[in-house]
Amino acid sequence: MRKTEEEQGAKLVRCALGIVIGGVAALLACMVFLLAASLGIARGLLGEGLMYQLTVVGCVVGSFIGGSMAVRRCGTRGLLVGLATGSVLFLLLLTVGVLFFQSMTPQSGGIGLLCGCLCGGAAAGLLRGGGKKRTTAKKKRRK
C-alpha cells in the first residue's frame, strides 16, 4: 500500500468519526434546546401550540452545531459533511423515537424533522466552509 493510499484512508476514517461525533453533539444540543423550550412552555412563556415548530428549530440548531464540529474536524467538502451530520442526527432521533415511543412514522412529523436536520447541517457546511484554503499566488515579475 502506498503512502498516499494510507493517508486517504486515515482522512476518510477521521472524517467519518467527525461526522458521527458531530451527530452525537447535534443530538445533545438538540436535547438541551428542547429542554429549554419545554421549560418555557411549562412556565407559560411559550404557547403549547408551538411544540412542533420548536422541535424543528431544535433540529436545525442541533444540526448546525454538530455540522460545524464535523466540518471543522474533516476540513474538506463542507456541504457533504454537514448533510451527512444532519442525516446522522435524524437517524439518532428516529432511533430514540422508536425506542421510547414505539412508533416514529413520517406521517407523525418525521418529514419536518428530516428537513430541519438536513437544512441545519447544510447551513453549517456552507457557512463554516470546509474547502481547501486558498493561497495567494505571487505574480512573477518580468524583467
Side-chain angles (χ1 to χ4, degrees):
M1 193 186 260
R2 293 182 299 180
K3 187 175 182 179
T4 57
E5 291 175 358
E6 291 175 3
E7 290 174 2
Q8 288 177 351
K11 286 181 184 179
L12 184 64
V13 168
R14 185 180 70 228
C15 194
L17 185 64
I19 289 170
V20 172
I21 290 173
V24 171
L27 181 67
L28 293 176
C30 181
M31 293 298 169
V32 168
F33 179 84
L34 291 177
L35 177 67
S38 68
L39 287 175
I41 290 173
R43 293 182 187 235
L45 301 173
L46 300 170
E48 251 184 76
L50 295 175
M51 283 193 297
Y52 181 70
Q53 288 86 355
L54 288 171
T55 304
V56 173
V57 169
C59 288
V60 172
V61 169
S63 183
F64 184 81
I65 291 171
S68 296
M69 289 178 61
V71 168
R72 190 178 328 126
R73 188 173 178 109
C74 290
T76 59
R77 296 193 174 123
L79 182 60
L80 294 176
V81 171
L83 287 172
T85 304
S87 300
V88 168
L89 173 62
F90 179 71
L91 291 175
L92 289 172
L93 288 174
L94 191 68
T95 303
V96 168
V98 167
L99 288 176
F100 292 115
F101 302 111
Q102 282 82 31
S103 68
M104 176 65 181
T105 61
Q107 292 84 14
S108 65
I111 300 297
L113 296 179
L114 174 64
C115 291
C117 291
L118 291 179
C119 287
L126 290 174
L127 294 178
R128 296 294 275 165
K132 293 182 179 179
K133 306 272 185 200
R134 294 181 187 171
T135 57
T136 56
K138 294 182 181 180
K139 295 182 181 179
K140 293 182 180 180
R141 293 185 185 178
R142 294 184 184 177
K143 294 183 182 180

